[in-house]
Amino acid sequence: MTNPPPAPFRHEPYQAGPLVGGRAPSGPQLPAPPPRPPARRGPSWGAVIAIVAASTALAGLIGGVGGAVIRGGGDSTATTTKAVSQGGEVARPSGSIAAIAAHAVPSVVTVWVDAGNRSGSGSGWVYDTEGHIVTNNHVVDAAASGSGSITVEQTDGTRAKATLVGRDVSYDLAVLKVDLKGVNPLPVGRSSDVVVGDEVVAVGSPLGLDSTVTSGIVSALERPVTAGESGQESFISAIQTDAAINPGNSGGPLLDRNGAVIGVNSAIAQMPGQPGASGNIGVGFAIPSDQVARTVDQLIKTGKAVHPIIGVSLDRQYLGEGARVLSDAQGQGSPVVAGGPADRAGIKPGDIIVEVDGKRIATPDQLIVRIRAKDVGDTVTVKVKRDGKERSMTMTLEAAKD
């Protein structure tokens, strides 16, 4: 796909309590820290629910949760872990929620953004020993032009100015650099090993309440989530969870029972027709750690990420099953890019793509999400319908050109 036409989903601004993260919507404004500001975000998903990214409610920008791929950073094999209670240190079994929280909370930060009337906060987490922090793009978007400032706050209240290393709108990820002392990176697990029913723990700053820990299970995998305004969409093949995710969780980690990051919390569900409603309803969405690790490593290395494409333009007016390639140019150039992966595989204008690697494709967004979840250079098999007949084709994904 090449620069697909705008998705039919948008971030719908919404309000919750103080501190809701989001992708630069309009609405009530608050100053940046010290008073804890808020921000909000709201995408939509499918015909049943609207997705609202975790964010900061009163200002207009932040949200989140985070994830990555196992790099080390904590002892998950000990039989007990020291946790802190109001009465002092206590021992908890390794693998318990209390043990996971004791290890992870110090490595999760609150991200404050001051961009005038678009100030707010979200969450982030320590990715490596070089001081890189992972968060959502929609958390820092308001300050990305250089007109605002970004501050990272640790659990002990220590604050430090952060610089933006790189961000990617399409994957809703951003990397910050900050000078942190005595903080260990979180290990990053493999989201490809996650199964429905796995127990998970989310850590972040929902509603401005830092160091908040919630738990639940993985309730679905490969949930196609498309969020954002026209031309600024994020395409996520998301991990769905019933762990409580609220505005302000955006950019924080979703952890497995070993304390490894398996996702970055990025969105929550909101019932359609209720733009004023907000908060957890048991359906949250995280960017899988396999995608996070690929994208974050690229952002750290070059400041930008590459996006795999097949080289077609999709027909957004088509309402049938599958994703139909435009039948004519419609002012956008050739529907099938000459010499691109789809062209070399034999895809023609008007073909309907109904499967990718044996998995059904129901909508154009689902196709985009499935392709974006792959890596440049991956080989995929697609099934298309043409003149009432199905045929399979194999192609190698290429990087989208700027």
Side-chain angles (χ1 to χ4, degrees):
M1 291 152 297
T2 60
N3 300 320
F9 306 123
R10 301 185 53 215
H11 288 283
E12 298 298 333
Y14 78 98
Q15 298 206 97
L19 282 198
V20 182
R23 182 200 291 275
S26 60
Q29 322 277 319
L30 284 188
R36 301 216 163 198
R40 346 167 258 172
R41 155 177 179 159
S44 35
W45 176 76
V48 181
I49 58 175
I51 307 284
V52 179
S55 27
T56 334
L58 302 184
L61 128 103
I62 316 331
V65 195
V69 184
I70 263 181
R71 278 182 208 312
D75 179 7
S76 61
T77 61
T79 56
T80 61
T81 296
K82 289 182 179 180
V84 178
S85 71
Q86 289 183 330
E89 287 189 349
V90 295
R92 289 292 182 266
S94 181
S96 67
I97 294 173
I100 294 169
H103 165 67
V105 166
S107 299
V108 178
V109 301
T110 301
V111 179
W112 297 97
V113 176
D114 182 5
N117 63 357
R118 295 174 66 200
S119 298
S121 73
S123 303
W125 51 279
V126 181
Y127 185 73
D128 58 24
T129 58
E130 303 302 314
H132 291 110
I133 302 292
V134 174
T135 187
N136 285 139
N137 171 68
H138 75 260
V139 170
V140 300
D141 179 63
S145 64
S147 59
S149 64
I150 304 172
T151 302
V152 166
E153 181 179 354
Q154 296 178 234
T155 55
D156 63 0
T158 301
R159 291 189 178 187
K161 291 292 184 182
T163 56
L164 181 61
V165 174
R167 67 191 187 105
D168 188 84
V169 173
S170 185
Y171 291 131
D172 194 22
L173 290 168
V175 178
L176 307 174
K177 182 74 178 293
V178 67
D179 183 16
L180 294 177
K181 303 297 184 183
V183 181
N184 294 320
L186 289 177
V188 181
R190 296 184 181 279
S191 55
S192 56
D193 292 338
V194 173
V195 299
V196 172
D198 278 351
E199 295 174 300
V200 291
V201 174
V203 184
S205 303
L207 308 176
L209 305 172
D210 61 356
S211 304
T212 293
V213 177
T214 58
S215 67
I217 64 167
V218 171
S219 55
L221 295 170
E222 295 187 285
R223 187 69 78 191
V225 173
T226 307
E229 294 81 13
S230 176
Q232 295 288 311
E233 299 93 350
S234 300
F235 300 93
I236 305 169
S237 181
I239 296 173
Q240 180 180 303
T241 179
D242 68 351
I245 306 258
N246 287 283
N249 268 122
S250 288
L254 187 68
L255 306 161
D256 65 16
R257 292 306 294 270
N258 293 317
V261 178
I262 50 91
V264 171
N265 300 317
S266 181
I268 57 177
Q270 179 176 313
M271 296 303 294
Q274 299 181 22
S278 62
N280 171 61
I281 60 172
V283 183
F285 303 92
I287 306 165
S289 61
D290 292 353
Q291 180 65 68
V292 172
R294 280 199 302 267
T295 302
V296 167
D297 287 344
Q298 290 170 359
L299 292 175
I300 291 173
K301 185 175 181 179
T302 68
K304 60 182 181 180
V306 296
H307 307 137
I309 61 168
I310 62 174
V312 299
S313 294
L314 302 178
D315 183 357
R316 291 289 182 177
Q317 306 304 312
Y318 176 69
L319 299 179
E321 187 83 359
R324 185 167 67 184
V325 180
L326 284 171
S327 56
D328 54 57
Q330 296 187 9
Q332 301 182 38
S334 174
V336 180
V337 177
D343 183 42
R344 293 196 301 271
I347 287 183
K348 304 295 183 185
D351 281 354
I352 301 171
I353 300 173
V354 294
E355 282 186 11
V356 172
D357 287 342
K359 296 180 179 179
R360 183 177 67 94
I361 297 298
T363 66
D365 284 339
Q366 192 171 48
L367 173 62
I368 296 170
V369 165
R370 285 269 165 79
I371 296 300
R372 290 287 174 88
K374 304 287 186 179
D375 201 3
V376 173
D378 284 352
T379 298
V380 298
T381 299
V382 300
K383 182 178 289 185
V384 304
K385 280 186 178 180
R386 182 189 304 163
D387 300 327
K389 297 180 180 179
E390 293 186 353
R391 61 194 71 193
S392 293
M393 305 174 181
T394 300
M395 63 186 73
T396 301
L397 304 181
E398 294 182 351
K401 295 179 174 57
D402 292 337

